Amino acid sequence: MSSSVSEPVITSVLPQKQRGVAPSALGAVLLGATFHYLGPSFAVLLFAHVDAVGVAWLRLASAAVVFAVWRRPWTVLREAGPAERRTMLALGVVLAAMNAAFYLALDRAPLATVASIEFLGVVALAAYGVRSRRNVTALALSCAGIALLTEVQIAGSAAGLAWAAANCLGFVLYVVLGHRIATGDPESPARTAARAGGVDRLSVAVVVSAVVATPFGVAQAAPAFAHPPWLLWGIGVGVCSTVIPYVADQWAMARLPRASYALMLALLPVTATVCGVVVLGQVPARQELVGIGLVGAAVALHRPREAS
């Protein structure tokens, strides 16, 4: 599909009459949140056969192939303005580093620990953009809900915690730069803005991330090429962990202020709990139900037009 046929550029300015979070944005966050945890569960199973950095490379490389065929990123990069091009390249480097840090952390610490540390950056972003008492209350409710759902578990080796902290920083940069490419560069030529949407610019970043990661991860991923099931599993990780959630993120980021999107990420542990019920039959404890209720109340209370 040519990048000339892309979604319209949508700014993050919400109509004044809109009070809560738009259903389309909320649905996109929920979709991305669901696959945010589904993908890593696949990746963990690969760690027995492929090094963590190799799994990260398989994820990025397979996603890059999908985006290259779907969006033709080289056309988007060629027509982008200088500032927009720098943002896409920076996001690509961040994605490569963040994914490597995430899997290195996941190989050395429990997922609950990595997720708990990751939320520190998200909470900071949401707090930075709070502009009303109502949204301060929503942020407090979401933090309480996250604490109950994740139980703020800190375990694992010192190296695992260090990689988790690096992943946290990378995730903050991903939200900042991802929101920038979702809303577009106001200084870009009108012709470029009309042709390229957030997903098109994302495709450039993902391809760049795969190129950056190749010298460090392709050798570690080599065992997968001799075992087709492992390779297919790695491709599945790329689709579930990168293509689907990152596209959903772009849809949500284009419709929400950055701080609002950061707060909506409190839905991540909620979707993890729901997946546990549906897939594993794990019935939530009373504490988890209270946490889900608090996060739901935070989302309902939050007003995007009172955030930045």
Side-chain angles (χ1 to χ4, degrees):
M1 180 183 293
S2 171
S3 62
S4 62
V5 181
S6 62
E7 74 282 358
V9 177
I10 301 172
T11 65
S12 60
V13 179
L14 298 172
Q16 289 298 314
K17 66 178 181 179
Q18 182 175 314
R19 296 182 59 82
V21 178
S24 59
L26 182 58
V29 174
L30 286 170
L31 177 63
T34 299
F35 281 91
H36 184 83
Y37 283 117
L38 184 61
S41 66
F42 292 157
V44 169
L45 297 176
L46 263 181
F47 287 163
H49 310 291
V50 181
D51 183 82
V53 176
V55 174
W57 182 83
L58 286 172
R59 168 183 175 173
L60 293 173
S62 57
V65 171
V66 172
F67 277 115
V69 173
W70 180 26
R71 308 307 283 190
R72 297 189 180 180
W74 51 88
T75 302
V76 180
L77 184 62
R78 184 175 62 248
E79 296 184 352
E84 195 173 44
R85 190 177 294 122
R86 286 193 297 270
T87 301
M88 291 186 290
L89 294 176
L91 180 58
V93 174
V94 167
L95 288 177
M98 181 184 73
N99 280 283
F102 178 69
Y103 286 129
L104 286 168
L106 208 58
D107 195 33
R108 293 163 174 79
L111 178 58
T113 294
V114 178
S116 296
I117 294 175
E118 186 175 71
F119 271 111
L120 295 176
V122 171
V123 169
L125 276 179
Y128 180 76
V130 167
R131 296 293 181 268
S132 69
R133 291 181 179 179
R134 185 188 189 99
N135 283 353
V136 169
T137 303
L139 177 61
L141 288 173
S142 68
C143 290
I146 290 171
L148 290 174
L149 284 166
T150 64
E151 298 181 351
V152 194
Q153 299 179 28
I154 304 299
S157 65
L161 297 179
W163 284 118
N167 171 66
C168 173
L169 175 60
F171 195 67
V172 169
L173 293 174
Y174 163 70
V175 173
V176 172
L177 294 173
H179 193 270
R180 193 174 297 172
I181 69 170
T183 54
D185 179 8
E187 297 181 1
S188 293
R191 179 173 62 89
T192 301
R195 290 175 61 87
V199 175
D200 297 297
R201 291 185 282 269
L202 171 67
S203 69
V204 175
V206 173
V207 171
V208 169
S209 71
V211 173
V212 171
T214 294
F216 308 98
V218 67
Q220 286 81 355
F225 292 101
H227 297 81
W230 300 355
L231 184 59
L232 289 175
W233 207 252
I235 294 172
V237 171
V239 173
C240 291
S241 292
T242 299
V243 177
I244 296 176
Y246 285 6
V247 169
D249 285 348
Q250 282 297 299
W251 182 273
M253 288 176 179
R255 289 158 176 79
L256 291 170
R258 190 177 67 195
S260 295
Y261 172 76
L263 185 138
M264 291 301 109
L265 291 178
L267 292 167
L268 283 168
V270 173
T271 58
T273 302
V274 173
C275 286
V277 174
V278 176
V279 178
L280 303 175
Q282 297 175 340
V283 179
R286 181 180 302 176
Q287 174 179 309
E288 293 173 310
L289 292 175
V290 173
I292 291 173
L294 289 174
V295 172
V299 172
L301 186 65
H302 181 76
R303 293 293 179 263
R305 61 187 175 86
E306 298 171 4
S308 64

